[in-house]
Amino acid sequence: MARTDSDATTAIVVKSGGEVPKGRRSRAGYGLIAPGLLFLLIFFVVPVFTLLATSLYVKPPGADIGQYAPALEFGNYAIVLGDYWPELLRSFGFALIATVLCLVIGYPMAYLIAVRLRGHGFLQGLLLVLLIAPFFTSFVLRTQAWRQVLADEGFIVQSLKTLHLMPADATLTATSFAVVAGLTYNFLPFMVLPIFANLQALDGRLLEAGRDLYANDMTVFRKVTFPLSVPGVLAGTLLTFIPAAGDYVSAAILGNNRNTTMIGQVIESRFMRVLDYPGAAALSFILMLSILILVSLYVRRFGTRDLV
């Protein structure tokens, strides 16, 4: 019987003593993932259980402000949910609109950089640097800059009023428009980069094959490019929606009124000003569970097999 290459390789490994025992490989694998598991245990699992325990605390009779005792008061969840469900729904609404806007704006940007400028390394690098350049500054400073852009004396408002596209007494700041604009701007790179990475890995021969079959550019995009970029779109929407739903900086700086309050502002206020630790913890847990449920439904609907 002829000796195969695989048999020869195995023989060489065994002969040279280079084969690693199975038990040693298992210990090496556990050793590699141990730091990550320890990190998650300390900075995720423990805080989550602490948050859950705090959300069930009660205030003893006669206790000072901010003093609570361990208990199992599940009624805290019903109280905060009844008081702040509009802010919770508004947060998800703003996050959904911002995610859709990021997709509408970001997909053409990613397509231009990854597909149309393929082979133009300098232009691709330049546009990517311009895309991530805002990350070199603080999140708060970027949002504060948008407040100046949308200010009443700013170029945008003055131009709209001059063109009679906006009432003379209207304003853009402290509106839902300003908050969504800030969210869209701040989280746009989270949408563009996963789509870009997916399109960058797209085999150009597939596009050429489509054109060889006499398909126009729109048909090639609809039949080949977009279906193959769906994993990047899914990753981008998750990376955009999740942080946008819990954001409070954009709403605090660009909105800051009752009609634009997001759940993150409420949590910050209950924790830092009112000292209602159980209520703030209950709201945080509700927000986390809500996002987890929505993301699970989203992932179950579209799958994660090809996520980048």
Side-chain angles (χ1 to χ4, degrees), residues 161-177:
K161 290 182 177 179
T162 301
L163 296 173
H164 301 287
L165 297 175
M166 186 174 175
D169 58 346
T171 181
L172 287 182
T173 54
T175 63
S176 299
F177 173 84

Side-chain angles (χ1 to χ4, degrees), residues 178-221:
V179 176
V180 172
L183 290 172
T184 304
Y185 170 73
N186 283 319
F187 294 106
L188 181 61
F190 291 88
M191 179 67 75
V192 176
L193 293 178
I195 299 175
F196 166 77
N198 193 266
L199 290 174
Q200 182 73 1
L202 182 65
D203 191 343
R205 292 174 296 182
L206 297 176
L207 306 181
E208 295 176 2
R211 297 188 185 97
D212 290 342
L213 294 174
Y214 302 102
N216 56 35
D217 289 344
M218 180 57 69
T219 302
V220 171
F221 174 80

Side-chain angles (χ1 to χ4, degrees), residues 43-109:
F43 295 105
F44 179 73
V45 177
V46 173
V48 166
F49 277 99
T50 303
L51 191 69
L52 177 61
T54 304
S55 68
L56 303 177
Y57 281 10
V58 295
K59 186 173 185 178
D64 294 333
I65 297 175
Q67 289 186 340
Y68 298 92
L72 292 175
E73 183 53 62
F74 290 95
N76 292 336
Y77 285 85
I79 293 174
V80 296
L81 196 58
D83 290 341
Y84 299 109
W85 65 267
E87 287 79 3
L88 187 64
L89 293 181
R90 185 179 299 121
S91 299
F92 290 133
F94 284 174
L96 179 61
I97 296 172
T99 301
V100 172
L101 290 176
C102 284
L103 178 60
V104 172
I105 298 171
Y107 194 97
M109 295 173 62

Side-chain angles (χ1 to χ4, degrees), residues 241-262:
F241 179 81
I242 294 174
D247 179 78
Y248 79 95
V249 173
S250 299
I253 295 177
L254 299 174
N256 202 23
N257 65 50
R258 190 176 183 85
N259 296 325
T260 61
T261 301
M262 296 178 68

